[in-house]
Structures are given as C-alpha cells and as structure tokens.
Amino acid sequence: MGKIIAIANQKGGVGKTTTTVNLAASLGVLEKKVLLIDADPQANATSGLGIDVEEVELGTYQLLELTQKAEETIIKTDSPNLDLIPAHIDLVAIEIELVDKDDREYMMKKAISELRDSYDYILIDCAPSLGLLTLNALTAADSVIIPIQCEYFALEGLGKLLNTIKSVQKVHNPNLDIEGMLLTMYDQRLRLSNQVVEEVRKHFADMVFDTIIQRNVRLSEAPSYGESIIKYDASSKGATNYLNLANEVVKKNKEIA
C-alpha cells in the first residue's frame, strides 16, 4: 500500500513545488513507483515536469469533481517511475464548485483511494493557501512535509499551518502525521540562514529532516527547461540534496513499517 504525502505551506516561495517535483523524481530514481498530484492552480509542478499546461485536458480538476476515474487523469512523465495527475488554471474554480457539496473535504481521498496499491508514494503539491484544495490534500494524506525557507520570516505563519493540521487531525483525518519539516534555500555564508536552522531545530527537534536543501542556481534553472534537477544536472548540489532527502524518507518509512 502506497504512502500519501502532502507537501504544504500556505506561504508562497518556500520551495514547495521544487520539493514535490524533485523529491518525486529522486524517489523514482531509487526505483520507487511514484505519482505526483498537482493540486495547485498555478500548475508549476505540471510545467516543471515538461508538460504543456495549455494542453492538459484531464487532471486534478476532473479528479476532484469525480467526473473521471482517477487512472484516466494520469499521464506518464519522462522521469523514471514517475506519473503525474496534472493541473490547469481551471482548478481555481474548484473551491467555489465544491463549496455546496456534501463531504467536500473528502473528494480527493475518495478519488485516489483506488490508486494506493499501484504506487509506493503519492505526493500532493498543495496550493500556497489553507483553502479547500489544501484541506482535501491533508484529509487524503497519511503525512505532510512542511518546507521552511531559511529566511527572516521563516516561522511566520507556521503556527497557523500547524493549527490547521491539528484541526484536520481532529475533524477529518486522525491519522495525519507530520512526515517532517524541511529547511530550504539554505546559504551557509549567511548568519541569518544558520540562525533559522538553529531556531527550527531547537523548537521542533526530531520533526526536522536531517537533509537541508541548499540554495543552488541549477535548482532554480531546471523548471524553465521542464525538467527535475535529477534530469537537468544530476551532479549538482541540488540533485544531491534531494536524493539525500528521498533516501531519508524511504529509510524513515522502512523503520515505521
């Protein structure tokens, strides 16, 4: 049975989509069968894997509307062992369309339950908000990875996200766990970066991944070529960081199993 992991933070620009795409690709390289669900109307995970967003006909929108079977929305990617349920800008409308429906928080859970046995990991790239799309992802997930950038406002809004996770645990998904907090955009030359790492590790201890994602030009360039960092430059620091993260996730889940 596959593990469903949401990658969530309502703050934009923290490396959420970068983490989803590159963790998914890294797990694929480690010979895990992976499905990435793009649940962000900006569809950056979709374009970041080389898919033309304008040509997407079936994807997360139809998945949440329950108008298509989940497997009909899946497309193959060029990355080994990595499939994708793409997003399109029309996903923006889903929050309004679902608002009157019964069990609106459970649409994704219902839709992807049949896919669990086909994959080792299902990763959900969440929108930078705490709206109905993110709520659906957290209700469907077994755990959540929280990217935290090593910058001044890093911890701002984190309390709000943790409260949302608590309320999802209480009302919709008692089994939701925090897979880990991931420090991103780290620059060892900056005192501020080091202070944030220290602060986060002090407050959250074992909840923080050992792996830290460093600032890396190649990592920033890869999405513009529609490629993961593994495909774009496997020898880069960014690729090494995400392969280390993938190994850490696999090891942690073996220990739990």
Side-chain angles (χ1 to χ4, degrees), residues 38-177:
D38 191 347
D40 183 349
Q42 294 175 77
N44 291 334
T46 299
S47 60
L49 284 169
I51 308 300
D52 185 346
V53 175
E54 295 304 317
E55 291 181 10
V56 170
E57 289 177 10
L58 297 177
T60 313
Y61 180 86
Q62 288 75 19
L63 182 83
L64 289 166
E65 283 272 284
L66 303 181
T67 54
Q68 301 286 145
K69 284 189 172 176
E71 58 266 26
E72 293 169 345
T73 64
I74 296 171
I75 56 177
K76 298 276 175 201
T77 74
D78 290 339
S79 292
N81 302 312
L82 175 56
D83 292 344
L84 171 72
I85 296 181
H88 185 275
I89 190 65
D90 60 8
L91 193 55
V92 150
I94 203 75
E95 303 221 353
I96 299 158
E97 290 174 26
L98 289 183
V99 97
D100 295 329
K101 296 201 175 180
D102 293 335
D103 293 336
R104 58 185 178 268
E105 298 90 352
Y106 297 90
M107 294 302 187
M108 187 173 287
K109 187 173 187 170
K110 282 181 196 166
I112 65 175
S113 59
E114 65 202 59
L115 299 175
R116 287 184 83 116
D117 292 336
S118 306
Y119 294 94
D120 297 307
Y121 292 94
I122 297 175
L123 303 186
I124 308 171
D125 185 33
C126 296
S129 77
L130 295 177
L132 202 45
L133 270 171
T134 300
L135 194 52
N136 260 271
L138 294 175
T139 302
D142 299 309
S143 66
V144 55
I145 289 175
I146 304 169
I148 301 169
Q149 85 276 39
C150 296
E151 291 180 5
Y152 185 68
F153 292 115
L155 301 178
E156 190 188 66
L158 189 56
K160 199 173 178 186
L161 177 60
L162 293 173
N163 284 338
T164 300
I165 290 168
K166 271 183 198 160
S167 106
V168 170
Q169 287 167 330
K170 202 172 175 183
V171 182
H172 304 295
N173 184 3
N175 300 318
L176 181 65
D177 196 9

Side-chain angles (χ1 to χ4, degrees), residues 9-14 146-162 181-185 192-193 195-197 199-200 204:
N9 192 327
Q10 80 275 22
K11 274 175 73 65
V14 299
I146 304 169
I148 301 169
Q149 85 276 39
C150 296
E151 291 180 5
Y152 185 68
F153 292 115
L155 301 178
E156 190 188 66
L158 189 56
K160 199 173 178 186
L161 177 60
L162 293 173
M181 296 181 176
L182 176 68
L183 291 155
T184 63
M185 303 181 187
L192 181 60
S193 274
Q195 282 173 343
V196 171
V197 170
E199 197 74 10
V200 172
F204 299 105

